[in-house]
Tab-separated table of all heavy atoms in Angstrom:
chain	number	residue	atom	x	y	z
T	1	MET	N	-49.226	56.376	-16.464
T	1	MET	CA	-48.377	55.214	-16.672
T	1	MET	C	-47.723	54.835	-15.341
T	1	MET	O	-47.192	55.653	-14.650
T	1	MET	CB	-47.274	55.544	-17.700
T	1	MET	CG	-46.819	54.357	-18.442
T	1	MET	SD	-45.857	54.828	-19.869
T	1	MET	CE	-44.230	54.324	-19.408
T	2	GLU	N	-47.890	53.546	-15.049
T	2	GLU	CA	-47.324	53.013	-13.803
T	2	GLU	C	-45.824	52.724	-13.964
T	2	GLU	O	-45.429	52.220	-14.965
T	2	GLU	CB	-48.040	51.826	-13.338
T	2	GLU	CG	-49.050	52.097	-12.235
T	2	GLU	CD	-49.788	50.848	-11.805
T	2	GLU	OE1	-49.157	50.025	-11.159
T	2	GLU	OE2	-50.991	50.697	-12.138
T	3	GLU	N	-45.119	52.919	-12.871
T	3	GLU	CA	-43.740	52.570	-12.922
T	3	GLU	C	-43.555	51.087	-12.583
T	3	GLU	O	-44.262	50.614	-11.689
T	3	GLU	CB	-42.989	53.397	-11.840
T	3	GLU	CG	-41.676	53.963	-12.357
T	3	GLU	CD	-41.010	54.835	-11.299
T	3	GLU	OE1	-41.462	55.957	-11.085
T	3	GLU	OE2	-40.050	54.336	-10.691
T	4	THR	N	-42.699	50.401	-13.258
T	4	THR	CA	-42.477	49.003	-12.960
T	4	THR	C	-41.529	48.852	-11.748
T	4	THR	O	-40.470	49.500	-11.681
T	4	THR	CB	-41.887	48.213	-14.143
T	4	THR	OG1	-40.983	49.089	-14.840
T	4	THR	CG2	-42.988	47.735	-15.060
T	5	THR	N	-41.968	48.084	-10.802
T	5	THR	CA	-41.186	47.860	-9.598
T	5	THR	C	-40.209	46.738	-9.778
T	5	THR	O	-39.099	46.736	-9.203
T	5	THR	CB	-42.063	47.620	-8.378
T	5	THR	OG1	-43.057	46.638	-8.750
T	5	THR	CG2	-42.746	48.903	-7.926
T	6	GLY	N	-40.660	45.732	-10.499
T	6	GLY	CA	-39.799	44.528	-10.691
T	6	GLY	C	-38.740	44.718	-11.753
T	6	GLY	O	-38.601	45.796	-12.366
T	7	ASN	N	-37.989	43.684	-11.992
T	7	ASN	CA	-36.992	43.668	-13.059
T	7	ASN	C	-37.456	42.663	-14.080
T	7	ASN	O	-38.066	41.683	-13.755
T	7	ASN	CB	-35.667	43.217	-12.450
T	7	ASN	CG	-35.178	44.191	-11.381
T	7	ASN	OD1	-34.742	45.291	-11.641
T	7	ASN	ND2	-35.264	43.733	-10.143
T	8	SER	N	-37.078	42.912	-15.327
T	8	SER	CA	-37.464	42.007	-16.340
T	8	SER	C	-36.374	40.914	-16.510
T	8	SER	O	-35.258	41.233	-16.848
T	8	SER	CB	-37.685	42.750	-17.638
T	8	SER	OG	-38.233	41.952	-18.628
T	9	CYS	N	-36.769	39.711	-16.238
T	9	CYS	CA	-35.813	38.573	-16.355
T	9	CYS	C	-35.453	38.288	-17.764
T	9	CYS	O	-36.289	38.232	-18.651
T	9	CYS	CB	-36.460	37.337	-15.717
T	9	CYS	SG	-35.496	35.837	-15.935
T	10	ILE	N	-34.146	38.184	-18.007
T	10	ILE	CA	-33.696	37.956	-19.390
T	10	ILE	C	-33.925	36.550	-19.841
T	10	ILE	O	-33.855	36.245	-21.036
T	10	ILE	CB	-32.182	38.331	-19.631
T	10	ILE	CG1	-31.279	37.583	-18.615
T	10	ILE	CG2	-31.993	39.802	-19.626
T	10	ILE	CD1	-30.185	36.842	-19.227
T	11	ILE	N	-34.149	35.612	-18.930
T	11	ILE	CA	-34.347	34.215	-19.311
T	11	ILE	C	-35.844	33.959	-19.656
T	11	ILE	O	-36.163	33.518	-20.708
T	11	ILE	CB	-33.897	33.248	-18.215
T	11	ILE	CG1	-32.465	33.528	-17.784
T	11	ILE	CG2	-34.109	31.787	-18.630
T	11	ILE	CD1	-31.377	33.063	-18.716
T	12	CYS	N	-36.733	34.288	-18.672
T	12	CYS	CA	-38.146	33.966	-18.935
T	12	CYS	C	-38.930	35.206	-19.358
T	12	CYS	O	-40.045	35.069	-19.813
T	12	CYS	CB	-38.770	33.363	-17.648
T	12	CYS	SG	-38.840	34.463	-16.233
T	13	GLY	N	-38.351	36.397	-19.182
T	13	GLY	CA	-39.001	37.624	-19.659
T	13	GLY	C	-40.032	38.155	-18.727
T	13	GLY	O	-40.672	39.143	-18.985
T	14	HIS	N	-40.209	37.529	-17.548
T	14	HIS	CA	-41.211	37.993	-16.611
T	14	HIS	C	-40.663	39.014	-15.713
T	14	HIS	O	-39.457	39.105	-15.434
T	14	HIS	CB	-41.712	36.776	-15.740
T	14	HIS	CG	-42.491	35.808	-16.577
T	14	HIS	ND1	-42.536	34.466	-16.236
T	14	HIS	CD2	-43.296	35.936	-17.672
T	14	HIS	CE1	-43.298	33.858	-17.149
T	14	HIS	NE2	-43.760	34.710	-18.034
T	15	GLU	N	-41.544	39.845	-15.185
T	15	GLU	CA	-41.167	40.873	-14.213
T	15	GLU	C	-41.171	40.250	-12.803
T	15	GLU	O	-42.170	39.757	-12.377
T	15	GLU	CB	-42.169	42.018	-14.235
T	15	GLU	CG	-42.231	42.767	-15.524
T	15	GLU	CD	-41.255	43.980	-15.530
T	15	GLU	OE1	-41.065	44.521	-14.485
T	15	GLU	OE2	-40.761	44.306	-16.620
T	16	LYS	N	-40.045	40.236	-12.185
T	16	LYS	CA	-39.888	39.676	-10.856
T	16	LYS	C	-39.135	40.652	-9.964
T	16	LYS	O	-38.415	41.469	-10.384
T	16	LYS	CB	-39.128	38.343	-10.907
T	16	LYS	CG	-39.776	37.277	-11.745
T	16	LYS	CD	-40.825	36.517	-11.000
T	16	LYS	CE	-41.575	35.548	-11.878
T	16	LYS	NZ	-40.776	34.318	-12.167
T	17	GLU	N	-39.441	40.517	-8.659
T	17	GLU	CA	-38.759	41.332	-7.688
T	17	GLU	C	-37.512	40.688	-7.099
T	17	GLU	O	-36.535	41.332	-6.746
T	17	GLU	CB	-39.700	41.749	-6.547
T	17	GLU	CG	-40.587	42.913	-7.013
T	17	GLU	CD	-41.538	43.314	-5.907
T	17	GLU	OE1	-41.233	43.196	-4.735
T	17	GLU	OE2	-42.672	43.718	-6.268
T	18	GLN	N	-37.588	39.349	-6.997
T	18	GLN	CA	-36.476	38.597	-6.398
T	18	GLN	C	-35.626	38.007	-7.521
T	18	GLN	O	-36.133	37.402	-8.473
T	18	GLN	CB	-37.002	37.454	-5.526
T	18	GLN	CG	-37.868	37.926	-4.366
T	18	GLN	CD	-37.089	38.753	-3.337
T	18	GLN	OE1	-36.016	38.354	-2.940
T	18	GLN	NE2	-37.609	39.894	-2.989
T	19	GLY	N	-34.303	38.168	-7.382
T	19	GLY	CA	-33.440	37.598	-8.365
T	19	GLY	C	-32.026	38.177	-8.238
T	19	GLY	O	-31.715	38.862	-7.294
T	20	ILE	N	-31.209	37.852	-9.193
T	20	ILE	CA	-29.835	38.352	-9.172
T	20	ILE	C	-29.583	39.209	-10.373
T	20	ILE	O	-30.238	39.090	-11.413
T	20	ILE	CB	-28.821	37.165	-9.129
T	20	ILE	CG1	-29.065	36.169	-10.275
T	20	ILE	CG2	-28.802	36.485	-7.791
T	20	ILE	CD1	-27.859	35.365	-10.648
T	21	ARG	N	-28.540	40.047	-10.195
T	21	ARG	CA	-28.150	40.889	-11.331
T	21	ARG	C	-26.777	40.431	-11.765
T	21	ARG	O	-25.863	40.284	-11.014
T	21	ARG	CB	-28.059	42.359	-10.863
T	21	ARG	CG	-29.410	42.985	-10.646
T	21	ARG	CD	-29.349	44.510	-10.902
T	21	ARG	NE	-30.642	44.885	-11.475
T	21	ARG	CZ	-30.871	45.063	-12.804
T	21	ARG	NH1	-29.860	44.920	-13.637
T	21	ARG	NH2	-32.034	45.413	-13.238
T	22	ILE	N	-26.667	40.215	-13.088
T	22	ILE	CA	-25.336	39.928	-13.650
T	22	ILE	C	-25.076	41.100	-14.610
T	22	ILE	O	-25.779	41.312	-15.580
T	22	ILE	CB	-25.367	38.597	-14.445
T	22	ILE	CG1	-25.682	37.424	-13.461
T	22	ILE	CG2	-23.995	38.365	-15.121
T	22	ILE	CD1	-25.830	36.068	-14.156
T	23	ILE	N	-24.004	41.815	-14.275
T	23	ILE	CA	-23.664	43.052	-14.984
T	23	ILE	C	-24.911	43.911	-15.034
T	23	ILE	O	-25.366	44.348	-13.964
T	23	ILE	CB	-23.040	42.727	-16.361
T	23	ILE	CG1	-21.972	41.640	-16.199
T	23	ILE	CG2	-22.429	43.995	-16.961
T	23	ILE	CD1	-21.466	41.057	-17.534
T	24	ASP	N	-25.494	44.100	-16.170
T	24	ASP	CA	-26.682	44.965	-16.275
T	24	ASP	C	-27.973	44.199	-16.373
T	24	ASP	O	-29.037	44.799	-16.452
T	24	ASP	CB	-26.552	45.878	-17.527
T	24	ASP	CG	-25.783	47.150	-17.190
T	24	ASP	OD1	-25.667	47.474	-16.011
T	24	ASP	OD2	-25.278	47.759	-18.150
T	25	GLU	N	-27.858	42.901	-16.405
T	25	GLU	CA	-29.057	42.080	-16.667
T	25	GLU	C	-29.568	41.438	-15.373
T	25	GLU	O	-28.827	41.217	-14.437
T	25	GLU	CB	-28.734	41.035	-17.693
T	25	GLU	CG	-28.140	41.581	-18.988
T	25	GLU	CD	-29.121	42.449	-19.751
T	25	GLU	OE1	-30.342	42.303	-19.573
T	25	GLU	OE2	-28.664	43.316	-20.556
T	26	PHE	N	-30.835	41.137	-15.456
T	26	PHE	CA	-31.514	40.574	-14.310
T	26	PHE	C	-31.993	39.135	-14.615
T	26	PHE	O	-32.524	38.858	-15.667
T	26	PHE	CB	-32.717	41.431	-13.929
T	26	PHE	CG	-33.534	40.871	-12.804
T	26	PHE	CD1	-33.112	40.964	-11.500
T	26	PHE	CD2	-34.744	40.244	-13.080
T	26	PHE	CE1	-33.882	40.508	-10.454
T	26	PHE	CE2	-35.530	39.759	-12.019
T	26	PHE	CZ	-35.080	39.873	-10.739
T	27	ILE	N	-31.724	38.235	-13.667
T	27	ILE	CA	-32.274	36.864	-13.749
T	27	ILE	C	-33.057	36.596	-12.496
T	27	ILE	O	-32.571	36.805	-11.403
T	27	ILE	CB	-31.098	35.863	-13.860
T	27	ILE	CG1	-30.288	36.085	-15.157
T	27	ILE	CG2	-31.640	34.400	-13.866
T	27	ILE	CD1	-29.062	35.184	-15.323
T	28	CYS	N	-34.346	36.235	-12.706
T	28	CYS	CA	-35.174	36.027	-11.524
T	28	CYS	C	-34.783	34.803	-10.729
T	28	CYS	O	-34.044	33.938	-11.243
T	28	CYS	CB	-36.663	35.954	-12.009
T	28	CYS	SG	-37.111	34.366	-12.694
T	29	GLU	N	-35.283	34.776	-9.547
T	29	GLU	CA	-34.963	33.740	-8.573
T	29	GLU	C	-35.228	32.349	-9.179
T	29	GLU	O	-34.449	31.403	-8.990
T	29	GLU	CB	-35.816	33.955	-7.341
T	29	GLU	CG	-35.150	33.487	-6.034
T	29	GLU	CD	-36.036	33.831	-4.855
T	29	GLU	OE1	-37.255	33.972	-5.019
T	29	GLU	OE2	-35.471	33.989	-3.787
T	30	THR	N	-36.380	32.220	-9.777
T	30	THR	CA	-36.809	30.962	-10.380
T	30	THR	C	-35.856	30.482	-11.379
T	30	THR	O	-35.422	29.299	-11.360
T	30	THR	CB	-38.219	31.121	-11.034
T	30	THR	OG1	-39.060	31.900	-10.152
T	30	THR	CG2	-38.870	29.783	-11.267
T	31	CYS	N	-35.464	31.338	-12.292
T	31	CYS	CA	-34.533	30.943	-13.353
T	31	CYS	C	-33.146	30.702	-12.812
T	31	CYS	O	-32.456	29.826	-13.318
T	31	CYS	CB	-34.493	32.025	-14.402
T	31	CYS	SG	-36.012	32.157	-15.396
T	32	GLU	N	-32.778	31.442	-11.833
T	32	GLU	CA	-31.454	31.268	-11.172
T	32	GLU	C	-31.368	29.849	-10.640
T	32	GLU	O	-30.384	29.133	-10.818
T	32	GLU	CB	-31.238	32.328	-10.118
T	32	GLU	CG	-29.835	32.336	-9.600
T	32	GLU	CD	-29.720	32.795	-8.160
T	32	GLU	OE1	-30.613	33.480	-7.671
T	32	GLU	OE2	-28.745	32.403	-7.537
T	33	VAL	N	-32.389	29.505	-9.843
T	33	VAL	CA	-32.414	28.174	-9.242
T	33	VAL	C	-32.407	27.053	-10.294
T	33	VAL	O	-31.659	26.113	-10.192
T	33	VAL	CB	-33.688	28.014	-8.299
T	33	VAL	CG1	-33.911	26.567	-7.873
T	33	VAL	CG2	-33.599	28.921	-7.123
T	34	GLU	N	-33.176	27.298	-11.346
T	34	GLU	CA	-33.216	26.313	-12.431
T	34	GLU	C	-31.913	26.201	-13.128
T	34	GLU	O	-31.477	25.120	-13.506
T	34	GLU	CB	-34.308	26.742	-13.402
T	34	GLU	CG	-35.378	25.665	-13.512
T	34	GLU	CD	-36.239	25.853	-14.730
T	34	GLU	OE1	-37.034	26.785	-14.765
T	34	GLU	OE2	-36.034	25.064	-15.707
T	35	MET	N	-31.245	27.331	-13.278
T	35	MET	CA	-29.979	27.360	-13.974
T	35	MET	C	-28.906	26.612	-13.207
T	35	MET	O	-28.110	25.875	-13.799
T	35	MET	CB	-29.549	28.826	-14.174
T	35	MET	CG	-28.654	29.006	-15.364
T	35	MET	SD	-28.693	30.703	-15.942
T	35	MET	CE	-27.785	31.504	-14.653
T	36	VAL	N	-28.922	26.807	-11.930
T	36	VAL	CA	-27.969	26.109	-11.034
T	36	VAL	C	-28.195	24.596	-11.112
T	36	VAL	O	-27.238	23.832	-11.086
T	36	VAL	CB	-28.055	26.702	-9.623
T	36	VAL	CG1	-27.247	25.828	-8.615
T	36	VAL	CG2	-27.572	28.119	-9.587
T	37	ARG	N	-29.459	24.241	-11.157
T	37	ARG	CA	-29.862	22.832	-11.155
T	37	ARG	C	-29.622	22.150	-12.498
T	37	ARG	O	-29.587	20.935	-12.579
T	37	ARG	CB	-31.349	22.706	-10.801
T	37	ARG	CG	-31.562	22.328	-9.355
T	37	ARG	CD	-32.912	21.665	-9.238
T	37	ARG	NE	-33.865	22.585	-8.570
T	37	ARG	CZ	-35.070	22.877	-9.010
T	37	ARG	NH1	-35.499	22.376	-10.139
T	37	ARG	NH2	-35.856	23.697	-8.331
T	38	THR	N	-29.542	22.922	-13.576
T	38	THR	CA	-29.472	22.402	-14.889
T	38	THR	C	-28.159	21.673	-15.144
T	38	THR	O	-27.053	22.206	-14.924
T	38	THR	CB	-29.671	23.495	-15.926
T	38	THR	OG1	-30.877	24.168	-15.667
T	38	THR	CG2	-29.698	22.921	-17.339
T	39	GLU	N	-28.261	20.453	-15.631
T	39	GLU	CA	-27.070	19.671	-15.967
T	39	GLU	C	-26.657	20.074	-17.375
T	39	GLU	O	-27.475	20.472	-18.207
T	39	GLU	CB	-27.419	18.177	-15.975
T	39	GLU	CG	-27.988	17.667	-14.671
T	39	GLU	CD	-26.956	17.422	-13.613
T	39	GLU	OE1	-25.820	17.110	-13.938
T	39	GLU	OE2	-27.286	17.591	-12.387
T	40	VAL	N	-25.346	19.831	-17.664
T	40	VAL	CA	-24.860	20.148	-18.986
T	40	VAL	C	-25.609	19.344	-20.088
T	40	VAL	O	-25.826	19.838	-21.171
T	40	VAL	CB	-23.311	19.834	-19.074
T	40	VAL	CG1	-22.755	20.132	-20.422
T	40	VAL	CG2	-22.567	20.674	-18.014
T	41	GLN	N	-26.045	18.116	-19.728
T	41	GLN	CA	-26.757	17.280	-20.664
T	41	GLN	C	-28.194	17.728	-20.895
T	41	GLN	O	-28.847	17.307	-21.818
T	41	GLN	CB	-26.787	15.801	-20.208
T	41	GLN	CG	-25.452	15.236	-19.898
T	41	GLN	CD	-25.161	15.289	-18.429
T	41	GLN	OE1	-25.011	16.386	-17.847
T	41	GLN	NE2	-24.976	14.176	-17.757
T	42	ASP	N	-28.638	18.602	-20.001
T	42	ASP	CA	-30.044	19.025	-20.098
T	42	ASP	C	-30.261	19.871	-21.343
T	42	ASP	O	-29.395	20.660	-21.762
T	42	ASP	CB	-30.357	19.872	-18.824
T	42	ASP	CG	-31.837	20.021	-18.597
T	42	ASP	OD1	-32.525	20.618	-19.464
T	42	ASP	OD2	-32.330	19.545	-17.590
T	43	ALA	N	-31.405	19.719	-21.912
T	43	ALA	CA	-31.792	20.436	-23.154
T	43	ALA	C	-31.820	21.925	-22.917
T	43	ALA	O	-31.620	22.697	-23.872
T	43	ALA	CB	-33.128	19.937	-23.645
T	44	LYS	N	-32.097	22.345	-21.719
T	44	LYS	CA	-32.177	23.790	-21.419
T	44	LYS	C	-30.854	24.458	-21.280
T	44	LYS	O	-30.735	25.657	-21.413
T	44	LYS	CB	-32.914	23.981	-20.094
T	44	LYS	CG	-34.433	23.946	-20.212
T	44	LYS	CD	-34.983	24.316	-18.848
T	44	LYS	CE	-36.455	23.862	-18.738
T	44	LYS	NZ	-36.846	23.783	-17.340
T	45	TYR	N	-29.831	23.671	-21.061
T	45	TYR	CA	-28.514	24.209	-20.785
T	45	TYR	C	-27.992	25.142	-21.912
T	45	TYR	O	-27.598	26.265	-21.604
T	45	TYR	CB	-27.516	23.083	-20.449
T	45	TYR	CG	-26.244	23.606	-19.870
T	45	TYR	CD1	-26.158	23.902	-18.499
T	45	TYR	CD2	-25.068	23.778	-20.651
T	45	TYR	CE1	-24.976	24.340	-17.951
T	45	TYR	CE2	-23.906	24.202	-20.062
T	45	TYR	CZ	-23.855	24.508	-18.743
T	45	TYR	OH	-22.656	24.928	-18.182
T	46	PRO	N	-28.052	24.687	-23.137
T	46	PRO	CA	-27.572	25.616	-24.208
T	46	PRO	C	-28.354	26.913	-24.262
T	46	PRO	O	-27.767	27.936	-24.648
T	46	PRO	CB	-27.846	24.757	-25.494
T	46	PRO	CG	-27.893	23.358	-25.041
T	46	PRO	CD	-28.486	23.377	-23.671
T	47	PHE	N	-29.576	26.839	-23.889
T	47	PHE	CA	-30.420	28.072	-23.923
T	47	PHE	C	-29.914	29.076	-22.818
T	47	PHE	O	-29.773	30.228	-23.104
T	47	PHE	CB	-31.878	27.686	-23.610
T	47	PHE	CG	-32.782	28.911	-23.468
T	47	PHE	CD1	-33.068	29.722	-24.523
T	47	PHE	CD2	-33.355	29.189	-22.218
T	47	PHE	CE1	-33.899	30.805	-24.387
T	47	PHE	CE2	-34.141	30.282	-22.043
T	47	PHE	CZ	-34.448	31.099	-23.132
T	48	PHE	N	-29.627	28.557	-21.671
T	48	PHE	CA	-29.053	29.432	-20.619
T	48	PHE	C	-27.735	30.017	-21.034
T	48	PHE	O	-27.488	31.196	-20.881
T	48	PHE	CB	-28.892	28.602	-19.327
T	48	PHE	CG	-30.195	28.264	-18.635
T	48	PHE	CD1	-30.433	27.032	-18.099
T	48	PHE	CD2	-31.147	29.303	-18.419
T	48	PHE	CE1	-31.587	26.718	-17.444
T	48	PHE	CE2	-32.335	28.983	-17.789
T	48	PHE	CZ	-32.570	27.693	-17.253
T	49	ILE	N	-26.927	29.185	-21.564
T	49	ILE	CA	-25.566	29.634	-22.011
T	49	ILE	C	-25.715	30.718	-23.101
T	49	ILE	O	-25.059	31.727	-23.070
T	49	ILE	CB	-24.747	28.456	-22.531
T	49	ILE	CG1	-24.484	27.450	-21.341
T	49	ILE	CG2	-23.400	28.924	-23.116
T	49	ILE	CD1	-23.767	28.004	-20.154
T	50	HIS	N	-26.629	30.461	-23.968
T	50	HIS	CA	-26.896	31.405	-25.034
T	50	HIS	C	-27.301	32.769	-24.487
T	50	HIS	O	-26.817	33.803	-24.911
T	50	HIS	CB	-27.987	30.849	-25.991
T	50	HIS	CG	-28.404	31.842	-27.030
T	50	HIS	ND1	-27.649	32.033	-28.179
T	50	HIS	CD2	-29.485	32.665	-27.119
T	50	HIS	CE1	-28.308	32.950	-28.913
T	50	HIS	NE2	-29.376	33.369	-28.278
T	51	GLN	N	-28.221	32.739	-23.540
T	51	GLN	CA	-28.677	33.980	-22.914
T	51	GLN	C	-27.553	34.717	-22.202
T	51	GLN	O	-27.384	35.906	-22.315
T	51	GLN	CB	-29.815	33.730	-21.942
T	51	GLN	CG	-31.080	33.140	-22.573
T	51	GLN	CD	-31.755	34.150	-23.472
T	51	GLN	OE1	-31.213	34.484	-24.522
T	51	GLN	NE2	-32.873	34.660	-23.059
T	52	LEU	N	-26.732	33.930	-21.487
T	52	LEU	CA	-25.602	34.509	-20.754
T	52	LEU	C	-24.536	35.080	-21.671
T	52	LEU	O	-23.980	36.171	-21.434
T	52	LEU	CB	-24.996	33.477	-19.809
T	52	LEU	CG	-25.854	33.127	-18.614
T	52	LEU	CD1	-25.248	32.007	-17.860
T	52	LEU	CD2	-26.068	34.336	-17.684
T	53	LYS	N	-24.311	34.411	-22.826
T	53	LYS	CA	-23.379	34.893	-23.806
T	53	LYS	C	-23.780	36.201	-24.396
T	53	LYS	O	-23.003	37.086	-24.677
T	53	LYS	CB	-23.209	33.847	-24.925
T	53	LYS	CG	-22.070	32.870	-24.626
T	53	LYS	CD	-21.775	32.107	-25.886
T	53	LYS	CE	-20.817	30.944	-25.606
T	53	LYS	NZ	-21.013	29.864	-26.549
T	54	ARG	N	-25.111	36.315	-24.558
T	54	ARG	CA	-25.708	37.522	-25.121
T	54	ARG	C	-25.343	38.715	-24.205
T	54	ARG	O	-24.983	39.771	-24.676
T	54	ARG	CB	-27.189	37.341	-25.284
T	54	ARG	CG	-27.612	37.622	-26.676
T	54	ARG	CD	-29.128	37.495	-26.759
T	54	ARG	NE	-29.820	38.064	-25.623
T	54	ARG	CZ	-31.134	38.083	-25.422
T	54	ARG	NH1	-31.890	37.473	-26.287
T	54	ARG	NH2	-31.642	38.639	-24.377
T	55	ILE	N	-25.519	38.508	-22.894
T	55	ILE	CA	-25.213	39.565	-21.912
T	55	ILE	C	-23.760	39.910	-22.025
T	55	ILE	O	-23.337	41.060	-22.070
T	55	ILE	CB	-25.512	39.087	-20.476
T	55	ILE	CG1	-26.923	38.615	-20.313
T	55	ILE	CG2	-25.177	40.184	-19.484
T	55	ILE	CD1	-27.160	37.917	-18.984
T	56	TRP	N	-22.937	38.877	-21.999
T	56	TRP	CA	-21.510	39.030	-22.071
T	56	TRP	C	-21.045	39.819	-23.233
T	56	TRP	O	-20.294	40.763	-23.172
T	56	TRP	CB	-20.806	37.663	-22.051
T	56	TRP	CG	-19.368	37.734	-21.788
T	56	TRP	CD1	-18.374	37.522	-22.657
T	56	TRP	CD2	-18.751	38.110	-20.517
T	56	TRP	NE1	-17.175	37.742	-21.994
T	56	TRP	CE2	-17.371	38.089	-20.732
T	56	TRP	CE3	-19.245	38.448	-19.233
T	56	TRP	CZ2	-16.474	38.397	-19.686
T	56	TRP	CZ3	-18.394	38.743	-18.236
T	56	TRP	CH2	-17.018	38.720	-18.447
T	57	MET	N	-21.594	39.494	-24.430
T	57	MET	CA	-21.218	40.158	-25.642
T	57	MET	C	-21.712	41.606	-25.680
T	57	MET	O	-21.018	42.466	-26.177
T	57	MET	CB	-21.714	39.370	-26.827
T	57	MET	CG	-20.800	38.208	-27.166
T	57	MET	SD	-21.572	36.887	-28.108
T	57	MET	CE	-21.563	37.645	-29.733
T	58	GLN	N	-22.913	41.803	-25.128
T	58	GLN	CA	-23.440	43.185	-25.073
T	58	GLN	C	-22.549	44.071	-24.290
T	58	GLN	O	-22.348	45.254	-24.575
T	58	GLN	CB	-24.803	43.165	-24.369
T	58	GLN	CG	-25.926	42.955	-25.359
T	58	GLN	CD	-27.266	42.756	-24.573
T	58	GLN	OE1	-27.339	43.033	-23.404
T	58	GLN	NE2	-28.310	42.283	-25.253
T	59	ASN	N	-21.968	43.537	-23.218
T	59	ASN	CA	-21.177	44.350	-22.319
T	59	ASN	C	-19.695	44.440	-22.678
T	59	ASN	O	-18.898	45.078	-22.035
T	59	ASN	CB	-21.370	43.833	-20.860
T	59	ASN	CG	-22.728	44.257	-20.336
T	59	ASN	OD1	-22.896	45.389	-19.935
T	59	ASN	ND2	-23.684	43.341	-20.384
T	60	ASN	N	-19.304	43.668	-23.710
T	60	ASN	CA	-17.931	43.682	-24.112
T	60	ASN	C	-17.747	44.188	-25.534
T	60	ASN	O	-16.692	44.045	-26.142
T	60	ASN	CB	-17.299	42.295	-23.945
T	60	ASN	CG	-17.004	41.986	-22.527
T	60	ASN	OD1	-15.999	42.431	-21.939
T	60	ASN	ND2	-17.902	41.261	-21.861
T	61	ALA	N	-18.824	44.681	-26.103
T	61	ALA	CA	-18.755	45.131	-27.466
T	61	ALA	C	-17.888	46.354	-27.624
T	61	ALA	O	-17.815	47.163	-26.722
T	61	ALA	CB	-20.160	45.419	-27.974
K	101	ZN	ZN1	-36.885	34.241	-15.016
């Protein structure tokens, strides 16, 4: 069994090496850039917020 070198992005679910860590979770570079670019009116915005809330709640339970 091979060891995974990357981190699993909580937004897109892909294994990536580049990205940021928020608390215990990993967000890949691509999703981070997209998230920063996303406007509140954007359809993707609630999805990002939802994912981030999940992290927040997991760590504050
Ligand atoms: Zn991602």
Side-chain angles (χ1 to χ4, degrees):
M1 209 166 109
E2 260 181 71
E3 223 178 285
T4 35
T5 47
N7 300 286
S8 190
C9 171
I10 53 128
I11 307 285
C12 67
H14 293 149
E15 297 267 331
K16 299 276 175 76
E17 280 179 32
Q18 301 294 313
I20 52 156
R21 287 210 147 260
I22 299 175
I23 313 168
D24 273 341
E25 305 294 337
F26 176 78
I27 298 176
C28 77
E29 211 176 25
T30 316
C31 290
E32 190 209 337
V33 169
E34 240 196 288
M35 205 159 74
V36 169
R37 259 203 253 131
T38 304
E39 305 280 331
V40 180
Q41 306 95 297
D42 198 296
K44 276 185 199 160
Y45 194 80
F47 174 70
F48 286 135
I49 296 302
H50 174 79
Q51 295 294 69
L52 290 173
K53 268 193 191 153
R54 237 181 41 182
I55 304 170
W56 192 251
M57 280 159 76
Q58 271 172 14
N59 286 281
N60 284 281

